[in-house]
Amino acid sequence: MSNRNILMTIRGISPEELMYLEHATKTFTEEQVKHFVFIYHSKRKNAQDVLLFTLLGFLGFAGIQRFILNQVAMGIIYFLTVGFCFIGTIVDLINHKSMTDEYNQRMARESAMMVMGGF
């Protein structure tokens, strides 16, 4: 099985994310790619989930999306300021896809380092 086919087993992966993961794992063996997918799949976030958590900000739970994306300080600020009076929440609604992509790329780099280092 090729590395691309292994990477395509990740549910909900976008073409851009697939290209990034192919680049990140181009020197990996098939076994390393399988290990990478196992680690990465447990860490990655879905853009639709981030969108849903962002929408909860309009119900008084502002900042959950920031906690989900490991941005704890911003999550606390959003919670205390009601999403910067909803302006920050609206901005996050617009940028939810890019925020998720950035988080997933960070998790891909972290997962690749774990595979290369053998933990």
Side-chain angles (χ1 to χ4, degrees), residues 17-48:
E17 186 177 5
L18 178 61
M19 286 177 40
Y20 183 81
L21 295 179
E22 283 179 327
H23 179 72
T25 61
K26 67 182 173 192
T27 61
F28 287 8
T29 65
E30 184 175 322
E31 195 60 38
Q32 286 176 317
V33 173
K34 288 179 183 178
H35 191 69
F36 170 83
V37 168
F38 178 76
I39 296 170
Y40 176 69
H41 188 272
S42 66
K43 294 181 176 209
R44 77 181 290 273
K45 303 295 183 204
N46 189 337
Q48 290 178 343

Side-chain angles (χ1 to χ4, degrees), residues 6 53 56 74 87 99 110:
I6 296 170
F53 288 121
L56 287 175
M74 283 299 288
I87 294 170
M99 290 169 46
E110 185 178 299

Side-chain angles (χ1 to χ4, degrees), residues 15-113:
E16 297 85 14
E17 186 177 5
L18 178 61
M19 286 177 40
Y20 183 81
L21 295 179
E22 283 179 327
H23 179 72
T25 61
K26 67 182 173 192
T27 61
F28 287 8
T29 65
E30 184 175 322
E31 195 60 38
Q32 286 176 317
V33 173
K34 288 179 183 178
H35 191 69
F36 170 83
V37 168
F38 178 76
I39 296 170
Y40 176 69
H41 188 272
S42 66
K43 294 181 176 209
R44 77 181 290 273
K45 303 295 183 204
N46 189 337
Q48 290 178 343
D49 293 341
V50 174
L51 176 62
L52 177 67
F53 288 121
T54 305
L55 288 171
L56 287 175
F58 292 111
L59 300 176
F61 302 106
I64 294 175
Q65 75 278 9
R66 295 293 181 149
F67 286 107
I68 297 296
L69 297 174
N70 287 342
Q71 298 174 353
V72 177
M74 283 299 288
I76 292 170
I77 292 170
Y78 269 53
F79 183 74
L80 295 175
T81 63
V82 190
F84 295 135
C85 298
F86 298 113
I87 294 170
T89 303
I90 292 169
V91 170
D92 283 358
L93 278 175
I94 295 167
N95 294 324
H96 78 279
K97 176 82 169 104
S98 63
M99 290 169 46
T100 306
D101 288 345
E102 180 182 311
Y103 172 83
N104 286 338
Q105 287 179 3
R106 197 168 55 248
M107 291 302 106
R109 286 190 301 271
E110 185 178 299
S111 300
M113 293 300 290

Side-chain angles (χ1 to χ4, degrees), residues 2-13:
S2 73
N3 289 354
R4 181 181 182 90
N5 290 340
I6 296 170
L7 292 171
M8 289 178 61
T9 62
I10 300 171
R11 192 175 50 158
I13 192 168

